[in-house]
Amino acid sequence: MELFNALGDIFSSDALYVSAFQLSVLFLFAGAGEWVAERAGTLNISVEAMLLAGAFGAAAGHEIVAWSIAGLVGGCIAGLLIALIQANLSHRLTANQFVVGLALNVLVLGLTAFLATEIDLGPARAEVVSVPALSGIPLVGEALFARPWPAYFVYLLVPAVWWLVFRTRWGLEVRSVGENPQSADVSGIDVNARRRQAIMLCGLTCGFGGAFIVLGQVGQFQSSIINGRGFIAIAAVIFGGWTLRGTVIGCVLFGLVEALTLATPVQGYRIDPVILDVAPYVVAIAVVLLFATRVRQPRALAQPFVRGLT
Amino acid sequence: MANELVNASALDVVTSGPGARTRFGRTAPLSDRALTVALYLVSIGLALLISGILVSATGGSATAVGGALLDGSVRSPGAWGLTLTTMAPLLLVAVGTIVATRAGLVNIGQEGQLLIGACFGAYLAVRLQGPGWLVIVASLVFAGVGGAMWAGIAAALRAWRNVPEVLTTLLLTFTAFPLMTYGLRQNWLIGDRDTSRVNHINSGEQIPFDARLPNVELFGNSIDSGVIIALAVAVAVTWMVTRSRLGARIDVLGLNPRAAQRFGIARRPVAAAVLVGSGFLAGAGGALLLHGGAAGDRLAFGYSGNFGWDGLLVALLARNRVLLAIPMAVVFAMLRTGSSFLASTGVDRKMTDVVQALLVLALLLPPAIIFLRDRRRELAGAKAAA
């Protein structure tokens, strides 16, 4: 009974839904990009770096031109820059994608922390845009309809990514490159170019996501602002069984789970945060384990492609 | 057996991947080797130059930073002893990773395996009564078992449902951190049983003094005997992968799984055993941190301190050669020990992360460029022949 009361209290607070939505937006931007990269055959572990670069770029962009849109552009550019390095090193020079990803994670973490101590980055916040009437809905009104304006792009993101991957020639080629690069190559598709482009798309969305967390949530850059959330986005893609629908569900679910870890101590309840912290990863492992016959990763995931002699 | 393998044409396709040319590799002509050296010098020089520009642009002195890094890692008294001490766990992790990579497995969960290993080691080390050396040996083995278990989950899932180990090892790493946090809060697990100590919630119990690895005194430097353990393991594993039957099987499995099946190599058991073995070494590396001087003498949040990730990088940069991993681990250890001297230059410690990452990227470039050049030549040759 006490448990039900506790759950009732937690789930009836507006703050929970607000923070769940905010985190879901971050995960969705990172997860959608990562999903495209993985469909093209890259297990891109530099999402963390791309998000952090995006966050720093947003604060820097906002510092230069004091508009929130400049922050957004700065974040996207920074994310793209990291993607450019990752893509060209791993899919042009055929360097090991994990080494590149790990090095980039260390590089961006170090570089942004270093630059943040040298340059004084001021607050950067995007304006809240409320939808009249709808934002008055109890519980979820504020969470869905009174958000900083970049958050609304998430409604555009998912259909756009879906259309790009499932309804365009480019998307078909991206998927084929992730499944069977040899066949794709024989069909005249530039395998590594498609993979690079998929990573660039991931960099763009991650940069946007990182910028959003600065402009729409925290309001300034901190070097711990991402704090492993890029890896939760990777877990969300795996949880989703490499489908877009599953990835979106995973991102929203993990957003809610992380919001719970933030909300429960405030409410005075003691759910062990360990359970919530490990949940995304354990659930992702459980999905690949339990649905191993139905859920299948892209065949060429994490395998480099080098064109054969024949 | 090896000769037959070289002739197997199926192998040629697989051996041509970057980093794959190991056991059956050809030696390059002299001019090529000179080019390799030149490329390495140029790219490492570029990495240092970029780091220097970064430091200078933010008002620091690049030479002072370089000097401080060298002071901290080799020049100041007792520094290179500490550097070698720090090298030991890195090397142990890297050696395990190399074996896994040679078998065609992608284990990227060393950080978690090392952390779980450290927890296992700490649990045993503060409870076991007995002579110091016995506690150390038992703790190292128990830590290895912990790491092996963590990798074993991935190995079991791979053998049973063919779940790719690259996904499970990565995901398992991130479950290790919160689990350790949980364990630290429980007295009956790895938490400190002395609840009167300040900060007892945030850190584990101190490893008893007689269970510290003894130091070897050499030219005024005290070197942890963990270095000897790590080097011995490295030599043994070198022998194993290059000279033993198991090593040949691992290589064949990594170079061409289908050929391995034809040769009658049991794929699943060998792959599982190798993955568990690499987890064992990563876990033992965690115990080396506890009993040695490379990290604190009690568990704390974030105790693994990127030793697992760095060990993975060392392994991959050494391009699957165990003996090459030794100098690579020394370089990584130098950056770690050197960074503690940066404070005097007024440059943030984070700068060493930047230097390290740039160096890693620089070390990636030359082999990739040479590989691409060879590739282009082969393609041109094939075209001319046709």
Side-chain angles (χ1 to χ4, degrees), chain A residues 6-307:
Chain A
L7 286 176
D9 272 4
I10 291 165
F11 280 97
S12 62
S13 81
D14 283 12
L16 173 75
Y17 295 103
V18 171
S19 76
F21 183 79
Q22 296 279 79
L23 288 164
S24 298
V25 170
L26 173 69
F27 289 148
L28 278 168
F29 273 105
E34 175 68 17
W35 174 73
V36 179
E38 291 200 17
R39 284 306 288 255
T42 319
L43 183 54
N44 179 28
I45 58 171
S46 54
V47 207
E48 184 81 9
M50 292 170 180
L51 286 171
L52 194 56
F56 184 83
H62 193 277
E63 190 71 18
I64 297 166
V65 186
W67 291 340
S68 48
I69 190 155
L72 218 51
V73 171
C76 290
I77 290 173
L80 276 174
L81 216 61
I82 302 302
L84 196 71
I85 301 174
Q86 167 83 48
N88 282 293
L89 284 179
S90 59
H91 295 306
R92 196 189 288 275
L93 292 175
T94 63
N96 184 310
Q97 55 184 274
F98 299 115
V99 182
V100 178
L102 284 176
L104 282 175
N105 285 345
V106 174
L107 178 71
V108 174
L109 191 64
L111 195 60
T112 53
F114 172 70
L115 290 177
T117 58
E118 300 293 330
I119 310 164
D120 211 13
L121 289 172
R125 214 172 252 293
E127 302 75 21
V128 172
V129 177
S130 299
V131 181
L134 286 175
S135 57
I137 300 173
L139 285 182
V140 294
E142 195 197 341
L144 292 178
F145 301 111
R147 293 290 92 226
W149 63 268
Y152 295 111
F153 276 91
V154 82
Y155 298 113
L156 217 65
L157 167 87
V158 177
V161 167
W162 174 84
W163 180 78
L164 204 59
V165 172
F166 289 115
R167 284 293 177 274
T168 65
R169 185 192 176 89
W170 182 82
L172 182 66
E173 292 185 357
V174 157
R175 282 179 287 141
S176 74
V177 151
E179 289 294 332
N180 192 336
Q182 277 76 26
S183 302
D185 184 50
V186 170
S187 322
I189 299 168
D190 191 338
V191 173
N192 282 327
R194 290 296 163 276
R195 288 185 169 176
R196 287 197 298 269
Q197 288 153 0
I199 294 175
M200 294 302 284
L201 183 69
C202 180
L204 183 71
T205 61
C206 287
F208 197 108
F212 168 73
I213 212 71
V214 165
L215 298 170
Q217 174 81 25
V218 181
Q220 68 180 68
F221 177 78
Q222 296 158 357
S223 52
S224 65
I225 199 165
I226 302 300
N227 201 14
R229 290 191 179 126
F231 291 103
I232 295 185
I234 297 177
V237 175
I238 298 170
F239 169 85
W242 293 274
T243 63
L244 183 58
R245 193 186 301 144
T247 303
V248 170
I249 295 171
C251 289
V252 174
L253 190 68
F254 294 166
L256 186 66
V257 166
E258 200 166 339
L260 277 175
T261 53
L262 301 174
T264 45
V266 178
Q267 297 264 340
Y269 295 108
R270 302 214 336 202
I271 299 177
D272 208 310
V274 170
I275 298 168
L276 297 169
D277 281 346
V278 297
Y281 307 108
V282 173
V283 170
I285 293 173
V287 164
V288 280
L289 171 67
L290 295 175
F291 303 108
T293 47
R294 263 188 299 158
V295 167
R296 200 174 50 75
Q297 78 275 10
R299 277 268 155 76
L301 183 64
Q303 286 164 15
F305 174 75
V306 182
R307 185 183 260 185

Side-chain angles (χ1 to χ4, degrees), chain A residues 93-97 99 304 306, chain B residues 11-26 40 97-105 250-251 254-256 315-322 324 363-372 374-375:
Chain A
L93 292 175
T94 63
N96 184 310
Q97 55 184 274
V99 182
V306 182
Chain B
L11 276 176
D12 291 347
V13 181
V14 193
T15 46
S16 54
R21 194 168 290 170
T22 47
R23 171 183 287 255
F24 313 113
R26 284 161 289 181
Y40 270 109
T97 311
I98 286 173
V99 179
T101 312
R102 284 179 83 116
L105 296 163
I250 288 173
D251 274 359
L255 292 171
N256 191 335
L316 294 176
L317 287 176
R319 302 170 66 71
N320 294 337
R321 290 181 193 82
V322 180
L324 206 59
L363 290 173
L364 279 177
L365 287 178
I369 291 170
I370 286 175
F371 168 73
L372 281 185
D374 287 355
R375 196 85 205 143

Side-chain angles (χ1 to χ4, degrees), chain B residues 326-343:
Chain B
I326 298 172
M328 208 62 90
V330 171
V331 172
F332 273 69
M334 277 174 70
L335 283 166
R336 271 176 185 270
T337 49
S339 71
S340 58
F341 271 53
L342 271 190

